[in-house]
Amino acid sequence: MRKKIVAGNWKMNLDLEGGRKLATGICEKISENPLETLPGKPEVVFFPPYVFLTEVVKAAEGTSGVSAGSQNIHQLEKGAYTGEVAAPMVKSCGATHTLVGHSERRAYFHEDNALLAKKVEQALNHGLIPVYCCGEVLPEREAGKHFEVVKEQIVNGLFWLKQEAFEKVIIAYEPVWAIGTGVTASPEQAQEMHAFIRKVVGEKYGLQTAEHVSILYGGSCNAQNARELFSQPDVDGGLIGGASLKAPDFLAIIQSF
Ligand code: 13P
């Protein structure tokens, strides 16, 4: 069975104290009601800003099934790149995962699939699980190009990987028009794209690998709509933005399988 995962992308929000409180509060509740006793037995990953990654890792220590990752990494291992952060650095802070190719990185920092392929490589080289984000913008969906766009993102960002390496990757489908807008993809739209992604993975790596890869949905997923989204056969959890900043909402989402 593939893993169910609920991940919280905190983006550029909170401060050290706020981040610590949020992670600690969620972990306390999870300890009272352990993840392995919940339907779906989900894993939880926090994606805080780099500067409080260490503290969030500490807050999560001892809570089974909870870990933390970075929202981004640089495509190189080290060097004279002022202001940047490399995979071995976040690994040394205790991170287990990293997001790669979030649509905000693609849009505002001009990260393309070729660059993201290098970031995926860096992550895997340093023992981080990449959560590779894909998704179309509204005009692409309106033009009926959403499958083509997502396929291209996945093929160019990931399909150069050998089978064994690919099997470590998590995919997050986040339609850009649903991110932070309050407009969620309908469960049918999410399922349709997730099934498509799984088919594309199957054509490249075989059915077994396709069945094994976790595909998360992101985009205005919240405590009210998570259950319906997660009940879709190819939706293995969520990458949550806004609702991951409120402990009760995030906890409700974790319990939505
Ligand atoms: P929202 O849940 O705020 O729409 O953000 C989704 C997202 O971008 C998660 O990475």
Side-chain angles (χ1 to χ4, degrees):
M1 259 308 277
R2 54 184 177 258
K3 281 183 193 157
K4 307 284 187 192
I5 300 161
V6 177
N9 176 8
W10 297 358
K11 307 193 180 184
M12 197 172 74
N13 292 296
L14 305 173
D15 60 8
L16 179 61
E17 195 43 35
R20 195 191 280 138
K21 266 197 193 142
L22 180 61
T24 307
I26 291 169
C27 288
E28 276 171 10
K29 291 286 181 200
I30 290 177
S31 299
E32 289 166 15
N33 211 354
L35 294 171
E36 57 270 23
T37 66
L38 299 178
K41 302 183 173 36
E43 287 185 11
V44 167
V45 191
F46 298 121
F47 289 97
Y50 292 127
V51 283
F52 25 107
L53 187 51
T54 310
E55 284 300 316
V56 172
V57 166
K58 262 195 231 161
E61 251 164 28
T63 310
S64 176
V66 183
S67 56
S70 56
Q71 296 173 13
N72 179 37
I73 49 170
H74 193 264
Q75 63 273 25
L76 296 173
E77 174 173 279
K78 62 177 181 175
Y81 298 96
T82 302
E84 289 296 313
V85 175
M89 298 176 185
V90 298
K91 180 72 182 172
S92 75
C93 294
T96 50
H97 295 66
T98 184
L99 299 182
V100 176
H102 190 280
S103 64
E104 288 148 20
R105 303 277 335 156
R106 291 178 186 264
Y108 307 141
F109 302 94
H110 313 295
E111 297 191 355
D112 61 15
N113 294 324
L115 175 77
L116 297 173
K118 293 184 189 155
K119 294 193 178 204
V120 168
E121 184 178 24
Q122 273 299 306
L124 291 169
N125 282 349
H126 296 283
L128 294 168
I129 296 169
V131 178
Y132 184 78
C133 305
C134 57
E136 78 286 0
V137 297
L138 189 57
E140 289 166 341
R141 178 163 281 264
E142 285 172 346
K145 292 195 167 144
H146 42 301
F147 294 115
E148 192 185 314
V149 167
V150 168
K151 183 171 180 178
E152 195 193 338
Q153 290 170 339
I154 289 178
V155 168
N156 293 328
L158 295 177
F159 280 7
W160 58 275
L161 289 169
K162 294 217 170 79
Q163 177 109 13
E164 200 189 326
F166 179 84
E167 286 178 357
K168 299 195 168 81
V169 172
I170 295 166
I171 295 174
Y173 169 59
E174 299 202 305
V176 180
W177 47 270
I179 295 178
T181 56
V183 181
T184 320
S186 68
E188 295 73 26
Q189 284 172 321
Q191 168 57 25
E192 183 183 38
M193 184 58 86
H194 284 224
F196 172 76
I197 293 170
R198 208 177 293 288
K199 177 172 82 74
V200 168
V201 170
E203 284 162 4
K204 170 74 180 170
Y205 293 106
L207 217 62
Q208 214 180 328
T209 301
E211 275 304 311
H212 177 266
V213 64
S214 294
I215 308 176
L216 314 184
Y217 169 79
S220 299
C221 183
N222 58 37
Q224 284 72 46
N225 59 30
R227 187 170 296 280
E228 220 189 332
L229 286 160
F230 295 178
S231 70
Q232 301 302 311
D234 288 295
V235 178
D236 304 313
L239 178 54
I240 318 299
S244 74
L245 299 171
K246 297 175 210 133
D249 293 38
F250 192 64
L251 285 159
I253 295 171
I254 293 168
Q255 297 179 22
S256 295
F257 290 96

